[in-house]
Structure formats: C-alpha cells, structure tokens
Amino acid sequence: DTTGARPTAAGTALAAEAAHILGHLTQAFERSRQAVEGVPLRVGTFASFGPTLFAALDALLPQVPIYQLTDHGDRLMSWVGEGSLDVAVVAVAGQLPPAPGTIATPLGRDRLAVLTPAGVEPPGRGRRPLTGRVVHFHAVDMTTTRLHARIAELGGQPRRAASADVAAALARRRGDLALIGRCLALSLATPQEKVLRSPVTAEFSFSMVTRSPAPPELIAVLPALAR
C-alpha cells in the first residue's frame, strides 16, 4: 500500500525458517574451511559467556580447532540434538526438555552479584535496598520475569539488558548498578569497580549439552573446564 510493504504471517514464518537454513549453510562453509586445519569441535554458548568459555577452551585444548558460535540456549540445545553442533554450554538445560539423544553434564553453579561502577554508591540496606536505584540486569537462564519482579519489590527500577556486557556498560555510562552472574561480573569488572553480594537471591547452573557419548577431548579436560 502507500505506506510500504509488510510480510503476512506466512511471510514472517517463511523468513524465520529461511534465516535458520541460511545460518546453517554459512556454518557449513565455515566448518569446511576449518576442516583443512583439522577436525573442529563445534561449540556454542550464550553471548555473555563466550569470552570466558572460548578463552578457557583455547588454553585447555590448544591443538583442537574450535568453531565458535553464540546464540540463545534453547537454539544451541536443539542444534546439538540435530547434529550441527557438538557442544552447547548453557544455563537453561534444567529448565527445558532435552533434545532427543542428548545428555547434559553439570559444570557448576553460580549466583547473582552486583557490579558497582567506580564512584557509584553500593546498594543500601534494609528491606528495600534498591529504592530509587536503576538496575540493569541480565539473566543467563529463564528467570528474567522473576528477576524483574524481584528488583521492583526491593524498590529498584529494573532495566533488562541484552547481555551481561551490555548491563555493565550501561551501568558505567549512567552511574547505575548492574545485576549479573558473579563469574561474569568478576571477568568484566575493572580494578576500580566492586563486585558485591546481590540483594536478589538466585542461583543458576551451567551445563555442557552434548550427544551421547560426549566428545572425548572435552571429557578429558572437564574438571579443569569446570574450574
């Protein structure tokens, strides 16, 4: 019409399916290029955890080419199930039905923490320690709605961020607080910033999702990877 063109519901669905297929095609070409150097291990995780995980794998498996992918946990788990991904390191394995033929190996647990930028006051005390404070938060599992509600209950103004990195960046820019996973906060914090105990109590689990049996090279370094 005179305002432009818009897809129908069928067109939107077709575009989503096409994007999925084209994404796999791109991965196929990338894996083919990497196969020249050796058999790559195809590993995926959520965006916030990518720097931590891939740096650890690079240190633990220096001779193994790692094909790196970041996406949402549910997609990563489904790709392991269909065989286009070897490993997915996620925090939602216990919250979603497993894909057929896959297993989830626990890696460890983490909890929320408050990253407080330099010069920013830490959370207060009492029953509503976040009163009047803007809190940029990111959940690595499926607790986004619960965290949003809990921050509000404690007096804060919740602002959902796309990743832990984004939450930290916005908190620094605006002089606010960031509520993210403790291990992520420790990796992102500068020497002038503080990582404090969170007034919002929550824990989440990291799992390694693979097909059965799991890749032997990963099993060999599993204790070190968990650390």
Side-chain angles (χ1 to χ4, degrees):
D1 58 29
T2 56
T3 64
R6 294 175 298 279
T8 62
T12 299
L14 178 61
E17 291 296 327
H20 178 76
I21 293 170
L22 291 173
H24 279 290
L25 185 60
T26 300
Q27 294 173 31
F29 284 120
E30 181 63 24
R31 289 196 296 268
S32 298
R33 285 193 293 268
Q34 292 192 6
V36 175
E37 303 175 359
V39 179
L41 190 64
R42 301 164 297 179
V43 182
T45 192
F46 52 96
S48 294
F49 201 50
T52 301
L53 175 66
F54 295 131
L57 289 175
D58 185 66
L60 295 171
L61 299 171
Q63 305 305 317
V64 178
I66 303 293
Y67 171 74
Q68 305 167 9
L69 179 69
T70 59
D71 211 307
H72 296 293
D74 55 345
R75 292 182 183 177
L76 297 171
M77 291 171 61
S78 69
W79 293 340
V80 173
E82 69 184 34
S84 60
L85 196 64
D86 297 313
V87 185
V89 176
V90 296
V92 296
Q95 300 169 331
L96 294 171
T102 64
I103 55 174
T105 304
L107 282 178
R109 299 183 65 82
D110 198 14
R111 62 184 184 273
L112 289 173
V114 175
L115 189 151
T116 306
V120 174
E121 289 293 321
R125 298 185 179 183
R127 299 183 62 180
R128 292 170 61 85
L130 299 177
T131 297
R133 307 296 297 274
V134 174
V135 181
H136 304 275
F137 75 99
H138 174 69
V140 298
D141 57 6
M142 301 180 70
T143 58
T144 297
T145 301
R146 185 172 67 82
L147 289 182
H148 189 285
R150 185 57 180 153
I151 292 169
E153 288 174 359
L154 296 177
Q157 301 174 39
R159 299 286 186 272
R160 180 182 178 184
S163 68
D165 314 59
V166 173
L170 289 173
R172 291 173 183 134
R173 183 177 182 277
R174 299 188 177 195
D176 298 327
L177 301 173
L179 181 66
I180 55 180
R182 184 174 181 273
C183 68
L184 297 173
L186 290 172
S187 68
L188 292 170
T190 67
Q192 293 76 34
E193 295 176 335
K194 296 178 180 179
V195 176
L196 306 174
R197 186 181 184 89
S198 169
V200 179
T201 303
E203 286 194 346
F204 43 91
S205 301
F206 290 108
S207 298
M208 182 180 74
V209 179
T210 64
R211 295 189 67 83
S212 183
E217 57 267 56
L218 272 181
I219 296 299
V221 300
L222 191 58
L225 182 60
R227 287 195 296 273

